[in-house]
Amino acid sequence: MGFKRFFDFLKNNIYLVIAILVIIVLAFGYALITIDDLSVDEEIYFQGSSMTHTVNWIGFSRYGMALLNVVLFPVLDAIPFLNGILSVLLLGAAAAVICWFLSEILAPLQVPKIAYVFLSAAVIAYPSNLDYFSFNSINAAVSVGLFVSVLSAFVVTRWIFENTSIAQAVLGVVLAAFIFSIYQAVVGVYLTLAVRYLLFGVGHRVVILRKAVVVFFQAIGVLVLAARVDAAVVEAE
């Protein structure tokens, strides 16, 4: 099973888990321990109720944000420290999943361990992460969107590479639609990872070059279908 292989990868690469935690501390530690005030947006957010925020997000066609607001964040709406911790931990988890899946694609090639550390640092400390991290009312939810983008790219490309059940493609569509419903810009993570996985797959003969274009449009097709699902849900609101 995928989950077992993932945890086996972490057990065999415990250095990577430690490195990810160190990178999180170096990249965000100072910001986390010095967040002691609220922005104007957060003050307004704090004054409203959880139900008010949910209705507002639905009005913005962000039903994913509304769902997260109801399920995960009814208490943590404007608590900077806890939201920030959750945000960076999700970034770390996303980095670990990316490293694991690349190891699956490139097996049995032995990738230098330091390469995974540098890749994790690039994922966690990417400059644009700071843009949403500073908004404590949405940072955890956007990190959820980033993590779901990583999972969606993994599910879809695995379906393409391994010709697994169509149910896996459907799951990829559902996950991608959920990305749209949280924050549309996060879709770029899916596209970047899908192309990266494809290039590695071609280079390592998981996918032969003449099929690369078909494979690429399969990944894009999943995204287009997900956008249509998202639009249908928005129209039904």
Side-chain angles (χ1 to χ4, degrees):
M1 295 294 290
F3 285 117
K4 184 180 185 302
R5 295 208 304 268
F6 173 63
F7 287 112
D8 286 343
F9 171 79
L10 293 183
K11 284 192 293 185
N12 295 330
N13 296 276
I14 192 66
Y15 78 93
L16 180 61
V17 178
I18 297 172
I20 286 174
L21 293 175
V22 171
I23 293 167
I24 287 174
V25 171
L26 292 177
F28 295 101
Y30 180 78
L32 285 173
I33 64 176
T34 57
I35 294 176
D36 58 0
D37 60 351
L38 298 175
S39 67
V40 173
D41 289 342
E42 290 155 352
E43 288 182 6
I44 296 173
Y45 201 79
F46 185 72
Q47 292 172 5
S49 66
S50 180
M51 181 57 67
T52 299
H53 305 324
T54 300
V55 172
N56 288 340
W57 283 125
I58 292 175
F60 296 145
S61 298
R62 298 283 181 84
Y63 58 88
M65 293 288 279
L67 178 63
L68 291 175
N69 187 73
V70 171
V71 175
L72 297 179
F73 309 120
V75 179
L76 305 182
D77 283 342
I79 302 177
F81 185 79
L82 294 179
N83 271 9
I85 286 287
L86 181 58
S87 298
V88 296
L89 288 179
L90 284 167
L91 284 177
V97 172
I98 292 172
C99 290
W100 166 61
F101 191 47
L102 283 179
S103 75
E104 294 266 305
I105 294 175
L106 298 176
L109 181 67
Q110 294 296 317
V111 178
K113 293 184 175 182
I114 192 66
Y116 290 131
V117 175
F118 279 111
L119 177 59
S120 298
V123 172
I124 296 168
Y126 191 70
S128 66
N129 290 341
L130 293 174
D131 290 337
Y132 78 84
F133 182 77
S134 60
F135 292 92
N136 292 300
S137 55
I138 65 169
N139 54 9
V142 175
S143 283
V144 169
L146 284 169
F147 184 71
V148 173
S149 295
V150 171
L151 292 182
S152 179
F154 161 70
V155 168
V156 170
T157 51
R158 187 182 177 198
W159 165 64
I160 293 171
F161 289 165
E162 300 180 6
N163 293 318
T164 53
S165 168
I166 192 65
Q168 196 156 4
V170 173
L171 176 60
V173 170
V174 172
L175 291 174
F178 190 60
I179 300 167
F180 279 104
S181 72
I182 295 176
Y183 189 52
Q184 293 89 332
V186 182
V187 172
V189 176
Y190 168 91
L191 290 172
T192 301
L193 289 176
V195 171
R196 176 183 291 176
Y197 293 153
L198 174 61
L199 292 176
F200 276 117
V202 170
H204 201 52
R205 295 295 186 267
V206 176
V207 179
I208 58 177
L209 185 59
R210 66 174 176 269
K211 290 185 178 180
V213 174
V214 175
V215 170
F216 174 75
F217 279 106
Q218 280 181 297
I220 297 300
V222 168
L223 191 62
V224 171
L225 184 57
R228 293 305 308 151
V229 171
D230 174 70
V233 173
V234 170
E235 291 173 2
E237 291 176 357

